Amino acid sequence: MRTLTALLITLTFSAVTAAAPLPSWSDNPTKTAITDFVSAVTTEGSPDFVPASERVAVFDNDGTLWVEQPMYTQLAFVIDRVKTLAPEHPQWQEEQPFKALLEGDLDALKASGMEGLLKLVAATHAGMTSDDFARIASDWIASAQHPRFERPYTQVVYQPMLELLDYLRANGFKTFIVSGGGIDFMRPWTEQVYGIPPEQVVGSQIEMEYQVLEGVPSILRKAEIAFVDDKAGKPVGIQRHVGRRPILAFGNSDGDYQMLEWTTAGSGKRLGLILHHDDKSREYAYDRDSHIGRLDKGLDDAESNGWLLVSMKRDWSQVFPPSSEPQK
Amino acid sequence: MRTLTALLITLTFSAVTAAAPLPSWSDNPTKTAITDFVSAVTTEGSPDFVPASERVAVFDNDGTLWVEQPMYTQLAFVIDRVKTLAPEHPQWQEEQPFKALLEGDLDALKASGMEGLLKLVAATHAGMTSDDFARIASDWIASAQHPRFERPYTQVVYQPMLELLDYLRANGFKTFIVSGGGIDFMRPWTEQVYGIPPEQVVGSQIEMEYQVLEGVPSILRKAEIAFVDDKAGKPVGIQRHVGRRPILAFGNSDGDYQMLEWTTAGSGKRLGLILHHDDKSREYAYDRDSHIGRLDKGLDDAESNGWLLVSMKRDWSQVFPPSSEPQK
Ligand SMILES: [Ca+2]
Ligand SMILES: [Ca+2]
């Protein structure tokens, strides 16, 4: 009986959700385009109907689900880790890219290039077990704060996107993250924050090796890049992990171009969306000239490719979730 | 109202399932060990309770979910594909490993080693798009028959394992395949046959590349091995795809040793199972001396590692699902 009551509550709640989906989206053609798409693919008998098992929706993470300015969150993590570990590595005071990073010299950091990046990955993401890294990432995300909004990074996620994820799942979609960021950096918190479980997170990966270390079965993280889930890597990452072509893709930069292209080239009804950061007062405004989340070709081609440009300023009535902390 | 009725039917059906789970498993201590484990991890308040999101169960495929004798099904596919393609490749009549394969000379085939295998992969699994390969694999599996049982390969799956997968899912588990076989060979049919969707299939992979070919966005399959999901590769495959340590693992050969080890070394209650093929009359009997599905170290260590040896002969009252065709 308790179960039945719970089900009835769920039904009632679902009915309410269905009546007013996406409350933080402005009532305008962008929202209508999304709800029309979902209606079309979920209405049995509709020529655009898609069975639930084929309702795959993929979302970029940085700049699509959460803030990526003034720097990728994972870079903030790297900086904090290097600072934390620096006392054990006195040579870093003179060794690039550590010296640049510890001195906040971003130009020197950039100049260290791929070689520098691999050294940072080795120092902060490798040389420990997968369990240890998950704990390190979890501890950091629980304590670090976004410098401008002064709240945890898990609270500078976009409220309208949380609502969209919920709305799609309520309509039988499976939601996936397909991010250029590190897969194991995201997985410890995506289920709690986005409702997306670890196996539905696709991202860049380093090599790993299974070993029994002093009697303890362990997965060891190695300082070698195994897969870069960006640009043309995104459709490949989707094929590797999901094994089905999505019917909806949502990104924010040219790194998502191929994912949008692959998704919307499929037969039947498809929806490609690009979040345009044009809201300097509530978040940030950037596109063609930004080093982070550069959106150039996608901006040129969105209309001819049939992709919907979502304007943060115009289409979102609220940007962040309400916080228990005072918001600055 | 229709939805409510459907829910009530589901509830009733679930209750029936719960009353008599695993009907094709003999009523003996093996079955009790499985149901006791599931009760322990699903009973709230139990010291062994595991939240639903952590209930990950992984299954080997060949020899665990379906028959792997007298040869791996994927090898039968390779042989059929080479025969089908041979008229377009007259040079294969004199070129190894194709010559050996076309003549059924398994010794010469083995002698061609890894180089031979890569040539076969290149000829049958690569050089086409992912969509084309999925269609080729689907068409083959729909028409090919197992030589002894004279029914489609999708009907030489094990009925007790289908019941176990259903039973686990009814108890909130997510079920995954973790196979040494090719991931894209399995995905076209695992959802229909096992109820396991493509994104919950982990397997060996070849390299892929995203390209726009004559205006058509495509994922091209390349003749390079990207990942071998066997032995120490299995825990790594699990970490890559699932991102969580399983609480239940089921295999049948020494290729599953590390997967079982990784699973059962986790904290809290865990269950490791090994299917022992000891039923020559209904299926096959093989273990330490078999080239296919060799089980040697696992047989030695099962007891000391706390892994449950499942005897096909003793523990399964039925091996295959009922067929609409007469069974030989
Ligand atoms: Ca992005
Ligand atoms: Ca096997």
Side-chain angles (χ1 to χ4, degrees):
Chain A
M1 199 55 214
R2 255 209 321 230
T3 311
L4 187 58
T5 310
L7 283 166
L8 287 171
I9 290 169
T10 307
L11 282 174
T12 312
F13 180 73
S14 300
V16 169
T17 310
L22 309 179
S24 300
W25 291 73
S26 309
D27 288 318
N28 70 19
T30 302
K31 181 177 182 166
T32 307
I34 295 172
T35 54
D36 282 356
F37 171 80
V38 171
S39 294
V41 299
T42 57
T43 303
E44 279 194 66
S46 148
D48 300 316
F49 179 73
V50 175
S53 63
E54 300 283 337
R55 290 180 209 152
V56 168
V58 291
F59 290 81
D60 169 62
N61 185 39
D62 297 306
T64 298
L65 296 180
W66 73 353
V67 174
E68 64 182 344
Q69 298 283 3
M71 68 172 72
Y72 295 124
T73 305
Q74 198 171 358
L75 180 56
F77 166 73
V78 167
I79 292 172
D80 281 358
R81 283 301 293 167
V82 167
K83 287 182 180 162
T84 302
L85 297 168
E88 303 163 34
H89 302 271
Q91 75 279 13
W92 285 357
Q93 303 296 332
E94 299 306 324
E95 184 187 346
Q96 293 298 13
F98 304 102
K99 181 172 189 287
L101 190 148
L102 291 168
E103 292 171 354
D105 182 349
L106 289 180
D107 288 334
L109 191 61
K110 266 181 213 154
S112 74
M114 181 55 77
E115 195 188 343
L117 179 67
L118 287 177
K119 278 191 188 178
L120 290 174
V121 167
T124 60
H125 283 67
M128 74 281 277
T129 68
S130 57
D131 287 350
D132 285 343
F133 183 75
R135 191 179 35 73
I136 291 167
S138 295
D139 288 352
W140 183 83
I141 207 90
S143 64
Q145 292 230 329
H146 188 275
R148 172 173 163 196
F149 299 108
E150 295 180 7
R151 41 156 89 185
Y153 287 98
T154 50
Q155 288 182 33
V156 291
V157 298
Y158 304 127
Q159 176 64 23
M161 298 303 286
L162 299 181
E163 292 167 8
L164 179 57
L165 291 169
D166 278 344
Y167 171 63
L168 291 172
R169 289 189 292 253
N171 281 282
F173 281 74
K174 273 189 187 158
T175 53
F176 291 81
I177 289 172
V178 179
S179 167
I183 191 168
D184 293 317
F185 178 71
M186 295 180 278
R187 281 170 160 173
W189 49 269
T190 54
E191 185 149 34
Q192 202 188 334
V193 175
Y194 300 135
I196 297 180
E199 70 270 17
Q200 288 169 216
V201 177
V202 184
S204 295
Q205 298 207 333
I206 61 176
E207 295 288 352
M208 292 181 285
E209 194 171 282
Y210 178 75
Q211 285 183 358
V212 180
L213 299 170
E214 296 177 7
V216 181
S218 305
I219 292 174
L220 205 64
R221 295 171 59 83
K222 298 172 73 179
E224 294 162 44
I225 306 289
F227 181 66
V228 178
D229 190 52
D230 197 25
K231 301 191 176 75
K234 288 204 173 192
V236 173
I238 291 169
Q239 182 64 23
R240 279 191 191 292
H241 284 261
V242 186
R244 271 199 260 248
R245 197 192 296 222
I247 65 169
L248 183 155
F250 207 139
N252 80 302
S253 80
D254 286 352
D256 302 310
Y257 195 98
Q258 289 88 346
M259 174 172 90
L260 287 159
E261 191 176 54
W262 170 242
T263 299
T264 58
S267 60
K269 209 169 176 67
R270 309 272 163 160
L271 186 59
L273 302 118
I274 298 176
L275 177 60
H276 191 195
H277 292 263
D278 57 1
D279 194 333
K280 198 174 175 180
S281 65
R282 292 190 301 173
E283 202 240 11
Y284 296 91
Y286 59 99
D287 46 42
R288 297 183 195 275
D289 301 320
S290 178
H291 289 295
I292 296 167
R294 179 192 187 87
L295 177 65
D296 187 35
K297 191 167 157 58
L299 215 46
D300 290 338
D301 296 353
E303 193 175 342
S304 60
N305 288 345
W307 301 338
L308 198 61
L309 268 180
V310 174
S311 156
M312 184 177 281
K313 191 167 187 172
R314 179 194 63 203
D315 298 329
W316 287 3
S317 59
Q318 186 175 349
V319 175
F320 299 120
S323 172
S324 48
E325 306 292 318
Q327 198 178 338
K328 308 260 167 153
Chain B
M1 198 56 211
R2 258 211 318 233
T3 312
L4 186 57
T5 309
L7 282 166
L8 288 171
I9 290 169
T10 307
L11 281 175
T12 311
F13 180 74
S14 300
V16 169
T17 309
L22 309 180
S24 300
W25 291 71
S26 309
D27 286 320
N28 68 21
T30 302
K31 181 176 182 166
T32 307
I34 295 171
T35 54
D36 282 356
F37 171 80
V38 171
S39 294
V41 299
T42 57
T43 303
E44 279 194 65
S46 147
D48 300 316
F49 178 73
V50 175
S53 63
E54 299 283 336
R55 290 179 209 152
V56 168
V58 291
F59 291 81
D60 168 62
N61 186 37
D62 297 305
T64 299
L65 296 180
W66 73 354
V67 173
E68 64 182 344
Q69 299 282 3
M71 69 173 72
Y72 294 123
T73 305
Q74 199 171 356
L75 180 56
F77 166 73
V78 166
I79 291 172
D80 281 357
R81 283 302 292 166
V82 168
K83 287 182 179 161
T84 301
L85 296 169
E88 302 163 34
H89 302 272
Q91 74 281 14
W92 285 357
Q93 303 297 332
E94 299 305 323
E95 185 187 346
Q96 294 296 15
F98 304 101
K99 182 171 189 287
L101 190 148
L102 291 168
E103 292 171 353
D105 182 350
L106 289 180
D107 287 336
L109 191 61
K110 266 180 213 154
S112 75
M114 181 54 77
E115 195 188 342
L117 180 67
L118 287 177
K119 279 191 188 179
L120 290 174
V121 167
T124 61
H125 283 66
M128 76 281 277
T129 68
S130 57
D131 287 351
D132 286 343
F133 183 75
R135 192 179 34 73
I136 291 166
S138 296
D139 289 351
W140 183 83
I141 206 90
S143 63
Q145 292 230 328
H146 187 276
R148 172 174 164 196
F149 299 109
E150 295 181 6
R151 39 155 91 185
Y153 287 99
T154 50
Q155 289 182 32
V156 291
V157 297
Y158 305 127
Q159 176 63 23
M161 298 303 286
L162 298 181
E163 293 168 7
L164 179 57
L165 290 169
D166 279 344
Y167 171 63
L168 290 172
R169 289 189 292 251
N171 281 283
F173 280 75
K174 274 190 187 157
T175 54
F176 292 81
I177 290 172
V178 179
S179 167
I183 192 168
D184 293 317
F185 178 71
M186 296 181 277
R187 280 170 159 173
W189 50 269
T190 53
E191 185 148 36
Q192 202 187 334
V193 174
Y194 300 135
I196 297 180
E199 70 270 18
Q200 287 169 217
V201 178
V202 183
S204 295
Q205 299 207 334
I206 61 176
E207 295 288 352
M208 292 181 286
E209 194 171 282
Y210 178 74
Q211 285 184 357
V212 180
L213 299 170
E214 296 177 7
V216 181
S218 306
I219 292 174
L220 205 64
R221 295 171 59 83
K222 298 172 73 180
E224 294 163 43
I225 306 290
F227 181 66
V228 177
D229 190 52
D230 197 26
K231 300 191 175 74
K234 288 204 174 192
V236 173
I238 291 169
Q239 182 63 23
R240 279 192 192 294
H241 285 261
V242 186
R244 270 198 260 249
R245 197 192 295 222
I247 64 168
L248 183 155
F250 206 139
N252 80 302
S253 80
D254 286 351
D256 302 310
Y257 195 98
Q258 288 87 346
M259 173 171 90
L260 286 159
E261 191 176 57
W262 171 242
T263 299
T264 58
S267 60
K269 209 171 177 68
R270 307 274 163 159
L271 185 60
L273 302 118
I274 298 176
L275 177 60
H276 190 197
H277 292 263
D278 57 1
D279 194 333
K280 198 174 175 178
S281 64
R282 293 190 302 174
E283 202 241 11
Y284 296 92
Y286 58 100
D287 46 42
R288 297 183 195 275
D289 301 320
S290 178
H291 289 294
I292 296 167
R294 180 193 188 85
L295 177 65
D296 187 37
K297 191 168 157 58
L299 215 46
D300 289 339
D301 296 353
E303 195 177 340
S304 60
N305 288 345
W307 300 339
L308 197 61
L309 267 180
V310 173
S311 156
M312 185 178 280
K313 192 168 186 172
R314 179 193 64 202
D315 298 329
W316 288 3
S317 59
Q318 185 175 349
V319 175
F320 298 120
S323 171
S324 47
E325 305 293 319
Q327 196 178 337
K328 308 261 165 151

